């Protein structure tokens, strides 16, 4: 099983970015915690601040990965292009967020990308990623 993990804009700053909201764990630590949680799975993580790079990564993942765990950051709320990419490839996707996007500013409540995901996990801090990965693997393993 090979799973793509995509981190969107500003998530490279985790550790120092608004620690009252996102905590102090770094992106490298999040990637490591996912790998430790599911050692039998090959994870392919990357981060980009650029919408087009994320779109290309979704297209490529559809060729060689079984599923996708993604936190598209603020693009979650604004990117029709990312939503279209997910709709185009139909790669099983779980969307994750560190913070609870329903408990913050109104603009964060809408997820354009989430409409094309199997489901969303939001608000559990770094555990959102390991929970998201587990949910995706559960889904993939129970597919006929
Ligand atoms: C986020 C929530 C988004 O609204 C925000 O723009 C982020 C991080 C989260 O993980 O909580 O960059 O996706």
């Amino acid at each position: 099983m090979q799973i793509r993990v995509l981190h969107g804009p500003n998530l490279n700053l985790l550790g120092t970015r608004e620690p009252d909201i996102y905590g102090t764990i770094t992106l490298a630590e999040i990637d490591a915690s996912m790998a430790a949680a599911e050692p039998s799975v090959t994870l392919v993580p990357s981060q980009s601040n650029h919408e087009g790079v994320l779109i290309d990564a979704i297209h490529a993942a559809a060729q060689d990965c079984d599923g996708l765990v993604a936190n598209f950051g603020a693009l979650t709320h604004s990117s029709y292009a990312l939503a279209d990419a997910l709709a185009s490839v139909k790669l099983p996707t779980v969307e994750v967020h560190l913070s609870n996007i329903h408990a913050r500013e109104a603009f964060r409540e809408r997820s354009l990308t989430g409409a094309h995901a199997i489901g969303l996990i939001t608000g559990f801090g770094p555990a959102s990623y390991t929970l998201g990965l587990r949910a995706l693997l559960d889904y993939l393993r129970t597919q006929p």
Side-chain angles (χ1 to χ4, degrees):
M1 199 86 85
Q2 178 147 294
I3 304 298
R4 194 78 167 90
V5 182
L6 283 179
H7 309 287
N10 301 307
L11 294 168
N12 54 311
L13 299 179
L14 285 180
T16 55
R17 174 191 179 195
E18 298 179 275
D20 46 319
I21 298 172
Y22 300 116
T24 53
I25 194 166
T26 66
L27 199 57
E29 289 168 334
I30 286 175
D31 287 339
S33 73
M34 293 175 84
E38 297 290 345
S40 66
V41 169
T42 303
L43 298 178
V44 186
S46 69
Q47 185 274 337
S48 178
N49 293 320
H50 305 281
E51 190 177 36
V53 173
L54 294 166
I55 291 168
D56 288 344
I58 291 168
H59 294 177
Q63 302 304 313
D64 60 8
C65 291
D66 301 291
L68 171 67
V69 175
N71 181 352
F72 294 117
L75 291 172
T76 302
H77 318 297
S78 63
S79 176
Y80 292 105
L82 275 174
D84 278 355
L86 293 175
S88 302
V89 300
K90 295 187 169 54
L91 182 66
T93 297
V94 173
E95 178 171 308
V96 299
H97 298 282
L98 294 148
S99 63
N100 179 354
I101 60 172
H102 299 291
R104 299 182 60 194
E105 301 95 321
F107 79 87
R108 294 187 204 273
E109 283 199 46
R110 183 178 69 154
S111 171
L112 298 175
T113 45
H116 304 287
I118 305 161
L120 280 74
I121 297 188
T122 182
F124 294 94
S128 290
Y129 286 86
T130 45
L131 291 168
L133 177 59
R134 197 177 309 160
L136 177 62
L137 295 175
D138 259 23
Y139 174 87
L140 293 173
R141 286 171 179 149
T142 56
Q143 286 308 291

